């Protein structure tokens, strides 16, 4: 069984804890945007990792945008998903298990 290792970022740890403790009724926004919690497995540690991401949907599909706030560098969770594309998405009180597909950037 994999162990959960909270983020090294305090605001991420706090947001994940609040979101999960309240079953998604609190900690569910960032800068007024709706948030979901994405759980994945760390590619190096093998540990459970959790990240609050802005909720983006295309129809009934979730879109995970690995922009790291517009940075040219991908966030760590992106590399985790490349190594292990199975994720758990919590959107409010609903939890989905999913297999992700990484799309190529478009111009």
């Amino acid at each position: 069984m994999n162990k959960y290792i909270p983020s090294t970022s305090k605001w991420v740890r706090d947001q994940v804890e609040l979101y999960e403790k309240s079953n998604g009724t609190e900690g569910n926004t960032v800068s007024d945007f709706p948030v979901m919690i994405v759980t994945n497995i760390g590619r190096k540690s093998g540990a459970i990792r959790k990240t609050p991401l802005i909720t983006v949907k295309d129809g009934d599909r979730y879109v995970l945008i690995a922009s790291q706030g517009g940075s040219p560098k991908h966030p760590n969770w992106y590399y985790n998903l490349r190594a292990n594309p199975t994720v758990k998405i919590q959107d409010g009180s609903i939890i989905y298990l999913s297999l992700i597909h990484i799309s190529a950037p478009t111009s």
Side-chain angles (χ1 to χ4, degrees), residues 32-53:
D32 295 326
F33 290 102
V35 168
M36 61 187 169
I37 302 298
V38 177
T39 302
N40 62 83
I41 302 299
R43 71 191 180 287
K44 294 178 184 175
S45 66
I48 296 168
R49 307 305 301 229
K50 299 180 181 188
T51 307
L53 296 178

Side-chain angles (χ1 to χ4, degrees), residues 4 16 19-20 23 36-41 48-53 62 64 81 84-100:
Y4 171 54
V16 168
Y19 194 104
E20 291 186 328
N23 205 24
M36 61 187 169
I37 302 298
V38 177
T39 302
N40 62 83
I41 302 299
I48 296 168
R49 307 305 301 229
K50 299 180 181 188
T51 307
L53 296 178
Y62 287 90
L64 310 181
L81 297 185
N84 183 352
T86 302
V87 298
K88 178 175 87 171
I89 295 173
Q90 182 174 352
D91 186 4
S93 62
I94 301 171
I95 296 174
Y96 304 93
L97 293 177
S98 187
L99 186 65
I100 62 104

Side-chain angles (χ1 to χ4, degrees), residues 24-35:
T25 62
E26 296 180 55
N28 54 15
T29 60
V30 169
S31 299
D32 295 326
F33 290 102
V35 168

Side-chain angles (χ1 to χ4, degrees), residues 5-6 10 32 44 49 56 77 82 85-87 101-103:
I5 298 177
K10 182 177 178 354
D32 295 326
K44 294 178 184 175
R49 307 305 301 229
V56 178
W77 62 261
R82 288 192 61 96
T86 302
V87 298
H101 167 78
I102 297 176
S103 298

